[in-house]
Amino acid sequence: MHVQEWLETVPAVAVYALVGIVIGLESLGIPLPGEIILVSSALLASQHGDIDPVILGACATAGAIIGDSIGYAIGRKGGRPLLAWLGGKFPRHFSEAHIATAERSFQKWGMWAVFFGRFVALLRIFAGPLAGVLRMPYWKFLTANVLGGILWAGGTTAVIYYVGIVAESWLKRFSWLGLVAAVLIGVTSMLVLRRKAKKTASAAETTPTPVPVGD
């Protein structure tokens, strides 16, 4: 069943809880489709008045920040053996190549890797645990974590919600042309930050001599 069709069958409070939990677990380091759940829920909120977009965005933001913080604590305590264990459990996401790419990003960009990593699926999973493993100072991690969580979760919710509102309104007036225009506006807005984040990750891969994160 399509994600959005399934979400329509559950009460609003369950949608809020699901979004917060899934995004929290993804941010903690478990490969889950947090972005898909968030986008589907925000679009659903634009079509049904039972779901408050503000509460939805707040739950998504809380899940992102709390999940990343727990991941940081686990990574700091577990160290590199934790990454090896995750590689055995989730080889597709925690392969040595993926870990090396994420580590280079962190070593070069530090707290900005946590911030921009929120907009890249791979780094979104790695951010918390890897920052802990590399012993990034917690105040730096927390600052980037909070700002990135608010901008990604809250921003995605707002953009998709208003795209849904505009699309529905335009669809009544201009048929499919209005829908296409509204979707293009929303997609373009979201891709701006995503493109910047990917450039950050790509630049880190070319760094010959990474600088370790200090305490």
Side-chain angles (χ1 to χ4, degrees):
M1 184 181 292
H2 192 276
V3 173
Q4 189 172 353
E5 293 176 350
W6 179 79
L7 288 173
E8 291 178 352
T9 66
V10 301
V13 65
V15 174
Y16 300 145
L18 178 67
V19 167
I21 291 173
V22 171
I23 290 178
L25 291 176
E26 182 189 39
S27 301
L28 188 151
I30 300 176
L32 290 176
E35 191 169 46
I36 294 176
I37 295 294
L38 178 58
V39 169
S40 299
S41 300
L43 188 58
L44 183 63
S46 69
Q47 300 170 351
H48 298 275
D50 293 340
I51 300 177
D52 189 326
V54 175
I55 298 178
L56 182 66
C59 290
T61 300
I65 295 173
I66 294 172
D68 250 11
S69 296
I70 296 175
Y72 175 90
I74 293 175
R76 194 173 180 92
K77 184 176 181 179
R80 293 190 177 277
L82 173 65
L83 296 181
W85 180 83
L86 289 173
K89 293 293 183 180
F90 306 102
R92 180 180 175 184
H93 296 86
F94 290 89
S95 65
E96 291 184 6
H98 285 170
I99 292 176
T101 298
E103 187 169 355
R104 284 194 295 269
S105 299
F106 272 72
Q107 289 173 329
K108 179 173 178 61
W109 299 101
M111 63 184 292
W112 291 110
V114 177
F115 177 82
F116 285 112
R118 180 58 64 181
F119 301 90
V120 180
L122 176 63
L123 290 180
R124 188 161 58 244
I125 297 173
F126 278 115
L130 190 55
V133 169
L134 296 177
R135 295 189 174 276
M136 176 183 292
Y138 183 67
W139 70 267
K140 289 186 177 181
F141 170 79
L142 183 61
T143 300
N145 178 27
V146 171
L147 294 178
I150 291 174
L151 190 58
W152 175 74
T156 298
T157 302
V159 169
I160 296 301
Y161 175 78
Y162 285 111
V163 164
I165 294 293
V166 173
E168 185 175 6
S169 176
W170 284 16
L171 186 59
K172 292 178 181 178
R173 298 179 183 179
F174 307 108
S175 187
W176 61 273
L177 291 176
L179 177 60
V180 171
V183 170
L184 287 177
I185 292 173
V187 170
T188 300
S189 300
M190 287 191 299
L191 288 181
V192 171
L193 283 175
R194 185 184 294 275
R195 184 178 180 183
K196 291 182 179 179
K198 287 185 177 180
K199 283 184 178 180
T200 299
S202 298
E205 292 182 23
T206 62
T207 304
T209 54
V211 179
V213 176
D215 287 324

